[in-house]
Amino acid sequence: MDLERAQSAKSREGGSRETSRERLWRGASGRDAGSGDAAGARDGARDGGGLFGSAGARPRTLFDSVRRRLILMVLLALAPIAALNIVQGVMQLSAAEEDARQNLLRHALAAAAAQQNVIASAENVLYALQNVEEVRSAGPSCRATLRGATISLPFVANIGVIDAAGRVTCSALPTTDTDMSDDAWWLSAVRQPGFSLSGRVRSTAANRDVLVGLLPLRDASGRLEGGLALGIEIGWLDNLLRQQVPPTDGVVAVFSASGEELVSNSRTLSGALFQAAPFATPDNALRESTDPSGRRWTYATTPLGREGMVVAYASPSDSLFGWTLVTVAASFALPALVMVASLIALWVAVDRIVLRWLLYLRRVTAVYAQGHYGFRPTRLDSAPSEFRMLGQSVEHMAYAVRQRDARLRENLAEKTALVREIHHRIKNSLQVVVSLLSLYGGGIGKGEDRKRFDQLRTRVNTLALVHRILYEASDGSQVRLSELLGELASLIEGSSDKHLRLMVEAEETRLPTDMAVPLALMVVELVLGLSLRPGSTSLGVLITGSVEADRLRLVLTGAADAPEEPSGLAGGFATQLGGTLTRDHSGDALVIVGDFPCPSIASPDTTAPEGASRA
């Protein structure tokens, strides 16, 4: 019969090609871990990059992570404590600064008390002398009286009487400079209502630097009659101040309202430390300065309460604050250390306690996704109880999937067997029909009726061929394009009365089964519709088939004649396939092109092993 001849011709062309049934049995007996890995890789390609490899698994925001969210929560929990520690440190620093300021001011006032006593003593002496008529009028005993007062007061360098014109009329010590009328301290002092103290003045009588205290002398009407001047030795005041406050303990100095240094226990240091002190309006604030050796000092200034004078006191910063700076620094550093230690501990803890087991469960699920349902996650025995429970749930899920997969495989195998049995029975029935047609058509003579009878037998043989291919396919839901066209070419060549030669160039593309029958019948109609050109003894046709972008392109090319329009059956089959047929002449060749939609079908997956394995 024609179908047997087509089968034998096709087997001669590909004698070494294994059948679909052999491939099925070979695939079932050769399952291994590699096939499971391949299946897992195909699954990963389908779901967009493998298990947990999709875009949804990547962090979507900055805090879309367990570790980062825990770190944020710890930082938020520690933030109030850190803020309180910082506030406490600031308060401690403010309290320390206030204590240091009060301490400096207390020392400054204590050091200046002796200076105030000296000035007060000088003032009292002058008030006492103004009541002595011999002194007031510069009488004969004036010099002796002033001399005696000078000797009795160790801090006094000289005492003199000056008339209203500014000339010295009497002095405890002889002096060559007797005209004071142009001196600034004299002009300033005589305008004062009472005792006043000048700045630093050089005494020509004592040849020393002194502070001049002047008490104006006025008559009953307030008219200036002169004044009593007393020179306080600055060197004596410096020694007194140095005895009270050694330079090693602190630096103290007394300044005039204009900023002129009057008294100091260390003029070298005071000149360097108190250059920027606000002598005009002292504000008692703490300030820092550096001595020539680079040591830092903290000082404060306060009014002395006389003549606008200001006293400044400086102490070394390290000895003034002591451990205060260390305590304050600890208040600032402790929250930072606590946060850093907490973050390190949290990072390690999350990695060792949480993420470590999550990553292991991820690998376990990946193994299950590849079909290794017998895998046992034994490493979870040392995990925390929550992860052990999760691992047991995943294992139970894998067991349930394994059972369901087994049932689905059984049902699929049963369905496949039934479908293949149906194809087998249809193929046998169609072969019986072909045999009956051959039996009853033997008496038909040659002619148009015989031609139509042979074409009908070819069409029935085509249906039988398609069902045979579907029966032999390893997967009943798809058929290979190259196999289908090759078998059709052999069938048409064996059943045609022409010298027909068909060549097939088709891809190993898999087609859905619902395309097999209309596609095969359309190809048969197209080939049967071709006729020999005048003068030709044979007909050669090239059939090519390919699938690109889910479109099946079928091209028949040959030096043949054909009707202007394809046969009604071929056009109907093309419409059933959802595509179109076009006819064109390219030179001497006739080209018929068919374009049809063809959904892509992946290769059948090999079954992954189910053998039990342990970690």
Side-chain angles (χ1 to χ4, degrees):
M1 293 185 293
D2 294 337
L3 184 58
E4 281 79 2
R5 289 198 302 270
Q7 293 174 354
S8 61
K10 193 63 180 178
S11 61
R12 285 194 300 271
E13 293 178 2
S16 60
R17 184 183 302 172
E18 62 182 355
T19 65
S20 300
R21 181 179 300 178
E22 292 171 347
R23 288 194 300 270
L24 177 63
W25 284 107
R26 182 180 58 81
S29 61
R31 296 170 183 167
D32 53 9
S35 63
D37 294 340
R42 286 190 296 270
D43 293 340
R46 283 193 294 268
D47 64 15
L51 194 64
F52 300 102
S54 63
R58 293 192 295 270
R60 295 165 293 185
T61 60
L62 178 62
F63 294 104
D64 189 17
S65 167
V66 174
R67 180 185 283 124
R68 292 177 182 175
R69 290 185 182 183
L70 288 177
I71 289 175
L72 177 62
M73 295 304 295
V74 170
L75 290 178
L76 292 178
L78 293 178
I81 301 176
L84 289 177
N85 278 358
I86 292 174
V87 170
Q88 182 181 6
V90 172
M91 294 175 63
Q92 287 180 348
L93 183 59
S94 300
E97 289 182 353
E98 180 62 22
D99 292 342
R101 188 179 70 85
Q102 295 296 336
N103 189 28
L104 288 176
L105 294 178
R106 185 172 61 252
H107 282 80
L109 293 175
Q115 313 297 318
Q116 289 181 311
N117 293 335
V118 170
I119 296 173
S121 299
E123 181 181 4
N124 293 332
V125 168
L126 292 181
Y127 274 107
L129 291 175
Q130 76 171 345
N131 296 323
V132 179
E133 185 60 29
E134 284 291 322
V135 173
R136 190 180 183 95
S137 62
S141 61
C142 173
R143 181 174 183 179
T145 303
L146 297 180
R147 182 64 178 172
T150 302
I151 295 174
S152 64
L153 298 174
F155 56 85
V156 177
N158 190 19
I159 302 176
V161 180
I162 305 173
D163 62 11
R167 292 188 296 272
V168 178
T169 58
C170 180
S171 175
L173 297 177
T175 178
T176 57
D177 186 8
T178 60
D179 188 4
M180 308 295 173
S181 59
D182 295 333
D183 291 350
W185 63 268
W186 165 258
L187 297 175
S188 174
V190 296
R191 290 194 293 266
Q192 303 298 325
F195 177 82
S196 64
L197 193 65
S198 71
R200 180 189 295 266
V201 176
R202 186 69 179 179
S203 173
T204 57
N207 196 24
R208 296 173 186 173
D209 290 337
V210 296
L211 297 178
V212 178
L214 181 70
L215 179 64
L217 300 176
R218 302 181 187 275
D219 57 13
S221 61
R223 187 177 61 183
L224 181 67
E225 294 181 347
L228 292 175
L230 182 148
I232 303 174
E233 188 176 344
I234 292 179
W236 191 91
L237 293 177
D238 289 345
N239 291 331
L240 177 63
L241 194 60
R242 195 174 295 112
Q243 292 174 5
Q244 293 176 332
V245 183
T248 55
D249 296 339
V251 177
V252 60
V254 179
F255 295 86
S256 66
S258 61
E260 180 185 6
E261 184 180 83
L262 303 178
V263 183
S264 174
N265 67 339
S266 177
R267 293 191 177 274
T268 303
L269 290 177
S270 63
L273 297 178
F274 303 130
Q275 289 181 358
F279 302 108
T281 55
D283 52 6
N284 298 338
L286 290 182
R287 289 176 174 80
E288 281 196 348
S289 186
T290 306
D291 62 16
S293 64
R295 189 180 186 185
R296 300 194 66 82
W297 295 70
T298 302
Y299 68 91
T301 59
T302 186
L304 193 57
R306 177 182 289 272
E307 306 296 330
M309 291 189 296
V310 176
V311 61
Y313 192 97
S315 289
S317 299
D318 50 359
S319 63
L320 179 64
F321 291 99
W323 289 94
T324 303
L325 294 178
V326 177
T327 305
V328 174
S331 299
F332 284 97
L334 184 59
L337 292 177
V338 170
M339 286 187 177
V340 171
S342 300
L343 294 181
I344 294 175
L346 181 63
W347 187 280
V348 175
V350 169
D351 186 70
R352 300 297 299 172
I353 300 176
V354 179
L355 298 182
R356 169 190 177 187
W357 302 112
L358 288 178
L359 292 176
Y360 180 69
L361 285 173
R362 173 183 175 180
R363 291 195 293 269
V364 170
T365 54
V367 171
Y368 288 152
Q370 294 176 359
H372 300 276
Y373 300 119
F375 179 78
R376 293 292 310 281
T378 54
R379 285 180 57 186
L380 288 175
D381 294 341
S382 58
S385 59
E386 293 83 358
F387 289 103
R388 290 201 303 271
M389 294 174 59
L390 182 59
Q392 292 174 0
S393 300
V394 172
E395 191 174 1
H396 293 162
M397 179 190 68
Y399 178 77
V401 172
R402 179 181 182 181
Q403 298 298 320
R404 188 186 65 177
D405 188 58
R407 290 194 299 270
L408 291 177
R409 290 178 185 277
E410 291 176 359
N411 295 336
L412 181 61
E414 182 179 357
K415 176 184 175 181
T416 303
L418 292 176
V419 171
R420 294 182 64 201
E421 181 63 24
I422 290 173
H423 288 310
H424 181 62
R425 291 178 182 270
I426 293 175
K427 186 260 299 182
N428 290 342
S429 300
L430 291 175
Q431 284 185 340
V432 172
V433 172
V434 172
S435 300
L436 291 176
L437 289 175
S438 299
L439 178 63
Y440 289 104
I444 300 176
K446 294 184 178 180
E448 194 65 26
D449 292 337
R450 180 69 184 187
K451 177 180 178 182
R452 285 195 292 269
F453 184 81
D454 291 338
Q455 290 180 354
L456 175 61
R457 187 175 60 182
T458 301
R459 294 183 179 97
V460 176
N461 264 329
T462 300
L463 293 175
L465 172 66
V466 172
H467 284 285
R468 179 178 65 81
I469 292 175
L470 293 175
Y471 167 72
E472 294 177 351
S474 58
D475 189 349
S477 62
Q478 50 191 294
V479 62
R480 287 186 299 142
L481 177 62
S482 59
E483 182 182 4
L484 176 62
L485 295 181
E487 295 283 354
L488 279 176
S490 299
L491 174 65
I492 297 173
E493 286 180 353
S495 60
S496 176
D497 57 350
K498 307 171 186 176
H499 295 286
L500 188 60
R501 184 174 69 258
L502 298 180
M503 293 172 290
V504 177
E505 294 180 1
E507 298 177 350
E508 290 291 331
T509 305
R510 298 182 179 273
L511 305 177
T513 54
D514 56 354
M515 293 184 64
V517 172
L519 181 65
L521 292 176
M522 184 190 70
V523 172
V524 170
E525 293 298 330
L526 291 175
V527 175
L528 293 179
L530 299 177
S531 59
L532 294 174
R533 289 187 175 181
S536 300
T537 58
S538 62
L539 177 61
V541 179
L542 173 64
I543 303 175
T544 60
S546 62
V547 176
E548 294 181 2
D550 291 342
R551 301 290 297 183
L552 171 62
R553 180 178 175 84
L554 190 68
V555 181
L556 278 72
T557 306
D561 288 333
E564 290 297 328
E565 296 293 337
S567 67
L569 287 177
F573 291 133
T575 302
Q576 182 179 351
L577 290 171
T580 57
L581 287 174
T582 58
R583 175 178 176 276
D584 190 18
H585 284 281
S586 178
D588 294 336
L590 174 65
V591 180
I592 300 176
V593 180
D595 184 48
F596 314 101
C598 178
S600 58
I601 297 181
S603 301
D605 294 338
T606 2
T607 306
E610 297 184 5
S613 61
R614 298 182 63 87

